């Protein structure tokens, strides 16, 4: 199934957090926080969207609507929920 966001919305694939800390301690699933970084998978049809597919972004912790496509989890969110674009 394919999803095309409408208006000023984007479809984001959240990136998984690290399983262990910098000191080597493993973090259990119950202690992990929600991901706040992701990759843009699809972009809505609003002309003012400044993001494109494959952009890596930072977004607010509890933003967007979670959806499941196949075995993968995604977020549909407003562009205004994006805090920054990550430049590599």
């Amino acid at each position: 199934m394919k999803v095309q966001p409408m208006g000023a919305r984007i479809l984001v694939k959240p990136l998984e957090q690290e399983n262990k800390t910098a000191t080597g301690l493993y973090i259990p699933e119950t202690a992990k926080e929600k991901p706040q970084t992701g990759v843009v998978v699809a972009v809505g049809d609003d002309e003012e969207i400044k993001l494109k597919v494959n952009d890596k972004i930072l977004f607010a912790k509890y933003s967007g609507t979670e959806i499941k496509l196949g075995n993968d989890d995604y977020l549909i969110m407003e562009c205004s929920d994006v805090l920054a674009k990550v430049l590599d």
Side-chain angles (χ1 to χ4, degrees):
M1 174 169 30
K2 291 187 178 185
V3 174
Q4 176 63 47
M6 301 300 294
R9 292 179 183 86
I10 57 173
L11 181 66
V12 176
K13 172 82 170 131
L15 296 175
E16 294 297 319
Q17 288 184 314
E18 292 292 322
N19 289 335
K20 60 181 178 175
T21 65
T23 58
L25 297 174
Y26 284 93
I27 303 170
E29 285 294 319
T30 55
K32 286 185 180 179
E33 292 188 15
K34 291 186 86 161
Q36 290 180 270
T37 59
V39 175
V40 177
V41 176
V43 178
D45 54 6
D46 192 319
E47 294 177 7
E48 295 186 19
I49 296 177
K50 294 180 172 63
L51 297 168
K52 58 185 184 297
V53 174
N54 293 326
D55 280 350
K56 188 174 177 182
I57 60 168
L58 295 172
F59 52 87
K61 189 177 284 191
Y62 295 104
S63 61
T65 301
E66 296 178 0
I67 63 170
K68 190 164 191 88
L69 299 174
N71 294 329
D72 296 323
D73 294 324
Y74 294 90
L75 291 170
I76 293 181
M77 66 177 66
E78 296 283 337
C79 282
S80 60
D81 291 337
V82 175
L83 303 174
K85 186 159 85 168
V86 178
L87 305 174
D88 291 326

